[in-house]
Amino acid sequence: MSENQDSYLIGILEKSNFRFLLTDCTSAISEAVRRHELEGKAAFLLSKVMIGSFFLAGMVKEENTVSIQLEGEGDIRSVLAYSDRYGRMRGMVRKKEGFVESPANSSGKGIFRVTRWGGERRLHQSVTKMEPTGFESNLLNHIYESDQLISFLIINSGPENRWKGMIFQALPGTEQKRIDEMMDRFSDVDLSADQLMEGDMETILFRMTSFLKEDLKVLDSGKPEFYCGCSLEKIQSVIRSIGKEEARSIIEEQGKIEIVCEFCRKPYVLDPEEVNLLFM
Ligand SMILES: [Zn+2]
């Protein structure tokens, strides 16, 4: 699993009026899991939410970043992941205090929140109820409730131990007849998710072309990656926002201000002089 084979293909099925995204995000996800020192269910959920956010960002033409946030009553309180349409992704998990890893850990019932971002600006947010039915079914439900779009999707970590996903989604205005046909073709597929997702993206593309009996026209391809986007400038503006008094009192207590990025765990340390300069 050491070699970085991450890739994605985005395209359309012209006849059926569907779009699709196929991806292998293993290295990008492993990087997030490693930085947050996650394991078990927490790592599993974060992986799925990262792929889900890429699905939502990759299914539209706009250069938006999409975040998915799960907030639940379970042992895992919150999972948050961001991706843009190029699969540049990051994420984090908040666990209940005293969290002990167990097979039953989940985020349970709660809310499923999707936010679209244009840079730092929040463009749109939609919230649906999260049920303890698994991430995929909550994602499908969210897409249907908020955009009235029908999708088919698989997120799979399979026997190759690689995180892969594929989503097929009806474009807005697709005739019901086309959607029904697609549903039939998917229900005729007699392979398991593991079997469907085996191999590299080209192999999966070829397999799906034969199952769906239609050309999958690739419009865009690339390589997902772990990407945070934090910077010293952003950290400085956070310090400015806490105010001069507060910043000085931290300096007095600790001799410096240290902020660790929540997403990539990178530490930023500012000494008293640097902090003073922020308030000049
Ligand atoms: Zn960061």
Side-chain angles (χ1 to χ4, degrees):
M1 214 168 72
S2 53
E3 200 188 335
N4 185 339
Q5 300 166 25
D6 284 12
S7 65
Y8 68 80
L9 301 173
I10 292 175
I12 52 168
L13 286 80
E14 277 173 323
K15 211 175 88 210
S16 299
N17 207 36
F18 270 64
R19 54 193 159 195
F20 70 88
L21 187 160
L22 299 176
T23 187
D24 180 337
C25 310
T26 309
S27 296
I29 286 171
S30 308
E31 188 59 27
V33 166
R34 187 186 67 77
R35 287 179 187 235
H36 292 280
E37 298 174 18
L38 299 174
E39 53 177 10
K41 193 78 185 187
F44 189 76
L45 257 183
L46 179 66
S47 306
K48 290 198 171 191
V49 179
M50 285 174 76
I51 294 184
S53 64
F54 183 25
F55 282 169
L56 297 183
M59 284 286 101
V60 294
K61 281 205 187 84
E62 292 78 19
E63 302 257 335
N64 297 338
T65 294
V66 174
S67 66
I68 297 181
Q69 183 169 24
L70 314 183
E71 275 173 41
E73 305 158 342
D75 295 326
I76 296 169
R77 279 294 156 83
S78 154
V79 184
L80 171 62
Y82 287 77
S83 177
D84 64 13
R85 70 184 310 267
Y86 307 105
R88 299 194 305 172
M89 49 178 84
R90 61 189 168 139
M92 60 179 285
V93 173
R94 280 213 184 89
K95 300 167 200 168
K96 197 162 127 183
E97 218 150 302
F99 172 89
V100 180
E101 186 64 60
S102 92
N105 288 141
S106 75
S107 46
K109 273 191 173 188
I111 61 169
F112 192 107
R113 179 186 292 123
V114 172
T115 312
R116 287 190 185 273
W117 305 86
E120 306 276 291
R121 208 160 61 91
R122 194 171 81 188
L123 302 175
H124 180 255
Q125 188 166 78
S126 50
V127 175
T128 47
K129 252 198 281 184
M130 181 168 66
E131 299 292 343
T133 50
F135 175 73
E136 289 88 332
S137 96
N138 280 290
L139 177 59
L140 282 172
N141 177 59
H142 187 97
I143 296 170
Y144 186 69
E145 275 196 28
S146 57
D147 300 320
Q148 286 76 52
L149 295 175
I150 300 287
S151 317
F152 303 91
L153 63 87
I154 295 175
I155 298 175
N156 180 270
S157 64
E160 300 159 77
N161 211 6
R162 301 194 60 83
W163 276 105
K164 298 180 200 174
M166 77 176 164
I167 181 168
F168 288 81
Q169 186 172 85
L171 287 156
T174 303
E175 284 171 68
Q176 189 57 44
K177 187 170 149 265
R178 298 265 180 246
I179 295 171
D180 293 343
E181 282 169 9
M182 191 62 94
M183 216 177 273
D184 287 344
R185 287 186 250 165
F186 271 102
S187 57
D188 283 345
V189 173
D190 56 357
L191 294 184
S192 67
D194 284 354
Q195 290 169 321
L196 269 181
M197 300 304 284
E198 199 188 330
D200 61 15
M201 295 304 102
E202 299 296 335
T203 309
I204 298 171
L205 186 79
F206 181 75
R207 184 179 297 128
M208 292 315 293
T209 303
S210 87
F211 273 122
L212 299 176
K213 303 176 186 74
E214 184 173 344
D215 264 354
L216 275 68
K217 186 171 164 192
V218 175
L219 301 176
D220 196 6
S221 64
K223 207 173 174 65
E225 59 174 334
F226 178 84
Y227 171 79
C228 184
C230 62
S231 64
L232 181 60
E233 290 67 35
K234 285 182 190 168
I235 297 296
Q236 286 171 334
S237 84
V238 169
I239 296 173
R240 270 194 211 99
S241 72
I242 65 171
K244 198 170 172 174
E245 296 307 311
E246 182 67 21
R248 293 224 164 115
S249 91
I250 299 172
I251 291 282
E252 256 167 53
E253 244 173 66
Q254 303 175 7
K256 62 182 179 185
I257 295 183
E258 179 168 356
I259 295 180
V260 176
C261 173
E262 285 187 300
F263 288 99
C264 68
R265 313 299 303 158
K266 180 174 172 183
Y268 290 89
V269 182
L270 283 87
D271 64 24
E273 211 168 310
E274 290 169 302
V275 174
N276 271 333
L277 279 174
L278 297 179
F279 295 101
M280 295 284 270

Short mmCIF file of all heavy atoms in Angstrom, two decimals, residues 35 90 228-231 261-266 268, ligand 1:
data_model
loop_
_atom_site.label_atom_id
_atom_site.label_comp_id
_atom_site.label_asym_id
_atom_site.label_seq_id
_atom_site.Cartn_x
_atom_site.Cartn_y
_atom_site.Cartn_z
N ARG A 35 -2.09 11.36 10.17
CA ARG A 35 -1.89 12.62 10.90
C ARG A 35 -2.77 12.72 12.15
O ARG A 35 -2.40 13.34 13.13
CB ARG A 35 -2.17 13.81 9.99
CG ARG A 35 -1.07 13.99 8.96
CD ARG A 35 -1.38 15.16 8.05
NE ARG A 35 -0.40 15.22 6.98
CZ ARG A 35 0.33 16.30 6.71
NH1 ARG A 35 0.19 17.39 7.43
NH2 ARG A 35 1.18 16.28 5.72
N ARG A 90 -9.18 16.81 2.95
CA ARG A 90 -8.70 16.77 4.34
C ARG A 90 -9.88 16.43 5.23
O ARG A 90 -11.04 16.47 4.78
CB ARG A 90 -8.13 18.14 4.73
CG ARG A 90 -9.16 19.24 4.65
CD ARG A 90 -8.54 20.61 4.84
NE ARG A 90 -9.51 21.64 4.46
CZ ARG A 90 -9.68 22.76 5.14
NH1 ARG A 90 -8.97 23.01 6.21
NH2 ARG A 90 -10.58 23.64 4.74
N CYS A 228 -4.24 20.55 2.89
CA CYS A 228 -4.89 21.27 3.98
C CYS A 228 -5.22 22.71 3.62
O CYS A 228 -6.34 23.15 3.77
CB CYS A 228 -4.05 21.23 5.24
SG CYS A 228 -4.92 22.02 6.60
N GLY A 229 -4.27 23.46 3.16
CA GLY A 229 -4.56 24.85 2.82
C GLY A 229 -4.41 25.81 3.99
O GLY A 229 -4.70 26.99 3.87
N CYS A 230 -3.94 25.30 5.14
CA CYS A 230 -3.70 26.23 6.24
C CYS A 230 -2.40 26.98 5.94
O CYS A 230 -1.59 26.54 5.13
CB CYS A 230 -3.61 25.50 7.57
SG CYS A 230 -2.26 24.32 7.71
N SER A 231 -2.22 28.13 6.58
CA SER A 231 -1.03 28.92 6.33
C SER A 231 -0.75 29.80 7.53
O SER A 231 -1.64 30.02 8.36
CB SER A 231 -1.23 29.80 5.09
OG SER A 231 -2.27 30.73 5.36
N CYS A 261 -2.92 23.16 13.66
CA CYS A 261 -4.01 23.10 12.69
C CYS A 261 -4.87 21.86 12.97
O CYS A 261 -4.35 20.76 13.10
CB CYS A 261 -3.47 23.05 11.27
SG CYS A 261 -4.78 22.78 10.05
N GLU A 262 -6.17 22.08 13.06
CA GLU A 262 -7.08 20.98 13.37
C GLU A 262 -7.11 19.91 12.29
O GLU A 262 -7.48 18.78 12.54
CB GLU A 262 -8.52 21.51 13.46
CG GLU A 262 -8.84 22.28 14.69
CD GLU A 262 -10.34 22.58 14.71
OE1 GLU A 262 -10.81 23.25 13.77
OE2 GLU A 262 -11.00 22.13 15.64
N PHE A 263 -6.78 20.30 11.07
CA PHE A 263 -6.94 19.37 9.95
C PHE A 263 -5.68 18.60 9.61
O PHE A 263 -5.75 17.44 9.27
CB PHE A 263 -7.42 20.12 8.71
CG PHE A 263 -8.85 20.54 8.84
CD1 PHE A 263 -9.18 21.82 9.21
CD2 PHE A 263 -9.87 19.62 8.64
CE1 PHE A 263 -10.50 22.19 9.35
CE2 PHE A 263 -11.19 19.98 8.78
CZ PHE A 263 -11.51 21.28 9.15
N CYS A 264 -4.52 19.28 9.67
CA CYS A 264 -3.31 18.57 9.26
C CYS A 264 -2.33 18.38 10.41
O CYS A 264 -1.29 17.78 10.24
CB CYS A 264 -2.63 19.30 8.10
SG CYS A 264 -1.95 20.89 8.57
N ARG A 265 -2.70 18.90 11.59
CA ARG A 265 -1.90 18.78 12.81
C ARG A 265 -0.56 19.51 12.71
O ARG A 265 0.35 19.25 13.50
CB ARG A 265 -1.63 17.29 13.17
CG ARG A 265 -2.82 16.38 13.13
CD ARG A 265 -3.91 16.76 14.08
NE ARG A 265 -3.49 16.84 15.48
CZ ARG A 265 -4.14 17.53 16.42
NH1 ARG A 265 -5.19 18.24 16.11
NH2 ARG A 265 -3.70 17.54 17.65
N LYS A 266 -0.44 20.41 11.76
CA LYS A 266 0.82 21.17 11.67
C LYS A 266 0.84 22.22 12.78
O LYS A 266 -0.11 22.98 12.94
CB LYS A 266 0.89 21.84 10.30
CG LYS A 266 2.15 22.66 10.10
CD LYS A 266 2.25 23.19 8.68
CE LYS A 266 3.42 24.16 8.61
NZ LYS A 266 3.57 24.78 7.31
N TYR A 268 1.92 25.70 14.52
CA TYR A 268 2.42 27.04 14.21
C TYR A 268 2.79 27.70 15.53
O TYR A 268 1.96 27.77 16.43
CB TYR A 268 1.33 27.86 13.52
CG TYR A 268 1.02 27.40 12.11
CD1 TYR A 268 0.06 26.41 11.88
CD2 TYR A 268 1.68 27.95 11.01
CE1 TYR A 268 -0.22 25.98 10.59
CE2 TYR A 268 1.41 27.52 9.72
CZ TYR A 268 0.45 26.54 9.52
OH TYR A 268 0.18 26.12 8.24
ZN ZN B 1 -3.50 22.50 8.19
#
